[in-house]
């Protein structure tokens, strides 16, 4: 086999075909690498791989057309066929030589992600699994090309047949879509020949067992068929001619059945075993979190998930296919989850059993048939769309994906009989109602996912006395009051906490630093939190957000990693702009558990008079850091409260409070800059604060936005010269020179 391999490899470079293939592949991938990745700052490898794969459908038949056909035309196959070398080794030697030629441009393409990483964030996992998928796709096409070359002695015929077959495999997804969007037995059969299908999934960030098995089985099958194609000629070349047609036919049928069985088995395993699929997407859009898996493992009630669409239609849409893949993970993680697709064309009124409103195509209905409780998740709520783009009439692509969060919330809802109320204090010029906060849709969404509702409460009214109880108020929100509380209001909050209440507070200092708030801060001091008036300025460059084009960022935007408690293992560092200084008031207080969730560096300072500050470092009157920017406290209390039947009940409860030193950390705009880490802390706290009769978990939206790279014009020009001009010309020149030297000999 080694001798065959060396002979074949040498012949391809001697005839220039190998160099033409390498140069053309490098040229195609290089052009789209420059056009999309560099000029448009696109960090994923999809453009050069997709167009490179299209190029392979044309180039591979040219590369493989002579591998077997040329031997027959020149009658040199007789020497090989009658040699003592096994036919398998002959075919494998030739195939590995072709694979080596293909591996050369693939190795060059492996440098693309490294170059892109110089100019911004690149997901190496996604990039290199995409390149791996491209290599498997090319390896499969080469095996097909070798087989086609073995059935004819005319190179041009082998090339034409190969081009037709490989382009059909590339566009088979489009062809089946034209036949039927819904899917039928014909499209199901044709999709077996959709060679580009697994690569599309891999490029999108999902590499699965059935993808690998599909490409490997194509390679094995067509190399086997090549051996069978050559086998008859080998027998006829032998002195003792033996009829092998029946034997070959039976063997081929057995192998085909075995290949089909292995692929079906791989598909079943992939659909039912989550570990068989690896999510390589940057934001894990195809996975479900460990929290969700744990919840599903504890599920003891049968939950039906109805999809208002056919599965074929869902899979045919790039974004709706996200939902299909997510639902497959749910069904694979619990035997109590059953997913059913309801074609709205054949079942137009199915939804009326669960809702009077007509949901959007692709919507979900989560139903618990045991208690007859259900919840509709409209498709428009699964994806978050850039509303600004929509307002200006632009094509609004989804910016975030929220299927997991919505489904988790719905599963908890249909199992539970409880609906919790979160009260939000008003009447103190709360920043949450101001435009400067930047909206609070994400915070509202988290509360809804906990199956809670938000109501406002004015502590200065008599009604508040009866509302602010642990039975009626699951959590109290204090969102950046710019005016101080009265003593009575502060006492009401303290009394609520002493009954086992839960409070989430965000402090406002950007516009109300000069406003004295002794009564508000007395609530914090009662729970061992010291408030130091002033603005925190971070002087460690690694601990604050770099200045942005829109003016945000700088030393006032503290960027710190979460340390413990609710901030442990969150997705990224928390961002706290215009923060007041927080610290532990009494280090010897053992009654209250004080947890610092995020802390500034030792080089930070508290500007006590920021309006007169001349520099960010410490000046006269400033306080040296570090300071806490997020804090959680809890205290065991003996709660006594009037029950619904008029008697007193007393038991041990926990008063708990989560404090943000800047209310702006809770805004949508700042939370998005922190990759949702700010509100992830709040979500973790609510998981503990809200006592439910069923397990409730919340999962944040997964961003679909791709961070653009910033590539200089000079870098684009250099890469264009290297990858589009120099490398292809060098390879082609090497081939021409080698060919010319050989001809002279």
């Amino acid at each position: 086999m080694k001798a065959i391999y060396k002979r074949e490899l040498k012949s391809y470079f001697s005839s220039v075909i190998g160099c033409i293939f390498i140069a053309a592949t490098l040229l195609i991938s290089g052009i789209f690498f420059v056009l999309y990745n560099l000029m448009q700052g696109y960090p994923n490898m999809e453009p050069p791989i997709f167009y490179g794969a299209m190029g392979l459908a044309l180039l591979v038949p040219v590369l493989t057309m002579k591998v077997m056909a040329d031997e027959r035309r020149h009658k040199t196959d007789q020497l090989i066929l009658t040699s003592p070398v096994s036919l398998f080794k002959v075919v494998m030697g030739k195939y590995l030589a072709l694979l080596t030629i293909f591996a050369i441009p693939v190795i060059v393409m492996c440098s693309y992600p490294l170059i892109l990483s110089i100019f911004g964030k690149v997901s190496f996992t996604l990039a290199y699994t995409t390149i791996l998928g491209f290599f498997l796709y090319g390896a499969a096409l080469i095996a097909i090309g070798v087989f086609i070359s073995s059935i004819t002695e005319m190179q041009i015929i082998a090339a034409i047949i190969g081009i037709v077959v490989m382009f059909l495999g590339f566009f088979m997804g489009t062809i089946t879509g034209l036949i039927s969007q819904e899917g039928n037995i014909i499209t199901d059969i044709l999709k077996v020949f959709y060679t580009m299908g697994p690569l599309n999934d891999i490029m999108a960030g999902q590499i699965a067992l059935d993808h690998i098995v599909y490409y490997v089985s194509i390679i094995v099958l067509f190399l086997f068929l090549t051996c069978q194609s050559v086998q008859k000629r080998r027998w006829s070349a032998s002195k003792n001619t033996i009829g092998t047609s029946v034997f070959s036919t039976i063997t081929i049928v057995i192998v085909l059945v075995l290949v089909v069985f292995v692929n079906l088995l791989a598909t079943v395993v992939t659909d039912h075993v989550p570990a068989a699929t690896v999510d390589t997407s940057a934001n894990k859009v195809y996975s479900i979190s460990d929290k969700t898996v744990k919840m599903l493992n504890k599920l003891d009630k049968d939950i039906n998930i109805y999809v208002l669409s056919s599965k074929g239609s869902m899979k045919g849409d790039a974004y709706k296919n996200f939902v299909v893949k997510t639902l497959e993970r749910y069904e694979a993680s619990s035997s109590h989850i059953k997913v059913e697709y309801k074609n709205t064309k054949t079942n137009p009124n199915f939804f009326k059993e669960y809702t009077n409103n007509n949901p959007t195509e692709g919507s979900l209905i989560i139903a618990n048939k045991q208690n007859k409780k259900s919840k509709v998740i409209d498709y428009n709520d699964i994806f978050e769309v850039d509303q600004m783009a929509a307002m200006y009439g632009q094509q609004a692509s989804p910016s975030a994906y929220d299927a997991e969060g919505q489904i988790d919330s719905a599963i908890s809802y249909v199992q539970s009989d409880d609906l919790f109320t979160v009260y939000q204090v008003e009447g103190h010029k709360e920043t949450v109602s101001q435009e400067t906060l930047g909206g609070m849709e994400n915070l509202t969404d988290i509360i809804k996912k906990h199956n809670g509702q938000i109501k406002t409460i004015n502590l200065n009214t008599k009604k508040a006395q009866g509302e602010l109880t642990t039975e009626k108020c699951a959590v109290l929100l204090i969102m950046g009051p710019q005016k101080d509380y009265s003593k009575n209001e502060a006492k009401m909050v303290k009394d609520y906490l002493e009954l086992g209440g839960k409070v989430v507070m965000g402090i406002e200092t950007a516009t109300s630093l000069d406003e004295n708030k002794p009564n508000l801060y007395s609530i914090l001091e009662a729970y061992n939190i010291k408030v130091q008036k002033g603005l925190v300025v971070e002087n460690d460059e690694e601990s604050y957000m770099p200045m942005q084009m829109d003016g945000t960022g700088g030393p006032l935007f503290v960027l710190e990693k979460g340390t413990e408690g609710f901030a442990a293992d969150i997705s990224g560092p928390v961002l706290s702009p215009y923060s007041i200084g927080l610290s532990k008031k009494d280090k010897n207080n053992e009654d209250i558990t004080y947890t610092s969730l995020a802390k500034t560096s030792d080089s930070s300072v508290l500007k006590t008079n920021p309006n007169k500050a001349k520099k960010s470092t410490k000046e006269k009157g400033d306080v040296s850091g570090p300071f806490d920017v997020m804090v959680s406290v809890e205290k065991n209390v003996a709660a006594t409260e009037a029950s619904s039947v008029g008697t007193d009940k007393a038991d041990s409860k926990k008063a708990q409070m989560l404090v943000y030193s800047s209310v702006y950390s809770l805004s949508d705009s700042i939370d998005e800059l922190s990759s949702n880490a700010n509100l992830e802390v709040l979500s973790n706290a609510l998981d503990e604060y809200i006592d439910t009769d069923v397990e409730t978990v919340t999962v944040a939206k997964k961003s679909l936005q791709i961070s653009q790279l910033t590539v200089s014009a000079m870098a684009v020009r250099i890469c264009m010269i290297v990858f589009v001009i120099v490398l292809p010309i060098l390879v082609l020149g090497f081939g021409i020179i080698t060919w010319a030297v050989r001809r002279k000999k």
Side-chain angles (χ1 to χ4, degrees), residues 441-460:
E441 290 183 6
N442 293 345
L443 185 147
T444 304
D445 181 64
I446 286 173
I447 292 171
K448 286 182 178 178
K449 285 178 180 176
H450 280 84
N451 297 312
Q453 57 182 338
I454 300 178
K455 291 184 178 180
T456 57
I457 184 170
N458 190 321
L459 301 179
N460 255 331

Side-chain angles (χ1 to χ4, degrees), residues 158-187:
I160 292 172
I161 294 174
I163 290 171
V164 172
V165 169
M166 292 178 195
F167 268 107
L168 281 174
F170 185 88
F171 291 109
M172 189 57 70
T174 304
I175 295 170
T176 56
L178 293 173
I179 294 173
S180 174
Q181 285 289 338
E182 309 301 326
N184 53 42
I185 188 169
I186 296 174
T187 59

Side-chain angles (χ1 to χ4, degrees), residues 558-576:
V558 177
L559 191 67
E560 293 290 349
K561 291 183 179 179
T563 52
E564 53 184 310
F566 301 132
D569 301 321
I570 56 177
S571 57
V574 298
L575 179 59
S576 185

Side-chain angles (χ1 to χ4, degrees), residues 409-638:
S409 175
I411 290 175
S412 297
Y413 174 80
V414 299
Q415 294 182 85
S416 174
D417 296 324
D418 298 328
L419 182 63
F420 298 93
T421 302
V422 174
Y423 281 94
Q424 181 181 311
V425 182
E426 62 178 3
H428 310 89
K429 201 178 177 181
E430 275 74 12
T431 312
V432 71
S433 62
Q434 308 299 312
E435 293 181 359
T436 52
L437 186 60
M440 59 171 291
E441 290 183 6
N442 293 345
L443 185 147
T444 304
D445 181 64
I446 286 173
I447 292 171
K448 286 182 178 178
K449 285 178 180 176
H450 280 84
N451 297 312
Q453 57 182 338
I454 300 178
K455 291 184 178 180
T456 57
I457 184 170
N458 190 321
L459 301 179
N460 255 331
T461 62
K462 289 183 178 180
K463 183 181 178 182
Q465 295 284 350
E467 294 291 322
L468 194 55
T469 66
T470 55
E471 286 188 344
K472 294 184 178 180
C473 176
V475 178
L476 183 69
L477 295 180
I478 299 176
M479 303 290 288
Q482 298 184 49
K483 298 293 183 182
D484 193 23
Y485 279 32
S486 67
K487 288 184 178 180
N488 184 56
E489 289 175 311
K491 183 179 182 302
M492 288 178 65
V493 175
K494 293 175 191 175
D495 289 345
Y496 166 72
L497 282 165
E498 288 299 315
L499 293 171
K502 320 295 180 186
V503 171
V504 174
M505 182 187 296
I507 303 173
E508 205 288 325
T509 55
T511 60
S512 62
L513 184 62
D514 295 331
E515 181 76 24
N516 290 322
K517 305 172 188 174
N519 295 323
L520 176 68
Y521 295 155
S522 71
I523 300 170
L524 300 176
E525 290 173 356
Y527 283 82
N528 206 27
I529 301 174
K530 181 181 179 181
V531 179
Q532 301 186 67
K533 191 176 179 181
L535 285 180
V536 174
V537 177
E538 181 59 79
N539 289 296
D540 183 350
E541 291 186 2
E542 295 184 358
S543 298
Y544 66 79
M545 180 182 169
M547 187 65 72
Q548 306 295 302
M549 294 291 291
D550 59 2
T552 58
L556 289 173
F557 283 65
V558 177
L559 191 67
E560 293 290 349
K561 291 183 179 179
T563 52
E564 53 184 310
F566 301 132
D569 301 321
I570 56 177
S571 57
V574 298
L575 179 59
S576 185
Y578 310 114
S579 307
I580 202 167
L582 301 178
S583 61
K584 193 173 184 179
K585 182 181 177 183
D586 182 2
K587 295 182 180 179
N588 297 319
N589 190 327
E590 297 181 356
D591 295 333
I592 296 173
T593 302
Y594 179 104
T595 305
S596 171
L597 305 180
K599 186 187 293 290
T600 64
S601 72
D602 293 339
S603 60
S604 63
V605 297
L606 185 75
K607 293 289 179 180
T608 55
N609 196 349
N611 294 328
K612 295 184 178 180
K614 296 181 179 179
K615 57 183 181 179
S616 63
T617 54
K618 189 176 181 181
E619 298 176 288
K620 186 178 180 180
D622 293 346
V623 181
S624 298
F627 306 96
D628 296 325
V629 292
M630 286 187 191
V631 170
S632 69
V633 292
E634 64 178 43
K635 176 185 177 183
N636 290 323
V637 293

Side-chain angles (χ1 to χ4, degrees), residues 85-99:
V85 181
S86 70
L87 183 57
F88 170 77
K89 289 183 178 180
V90 171
V91 173
M92 280 302 298
K94 288 175 172 289
Y95 176 73
L96 291 176
L98 294 169
L99 207 58

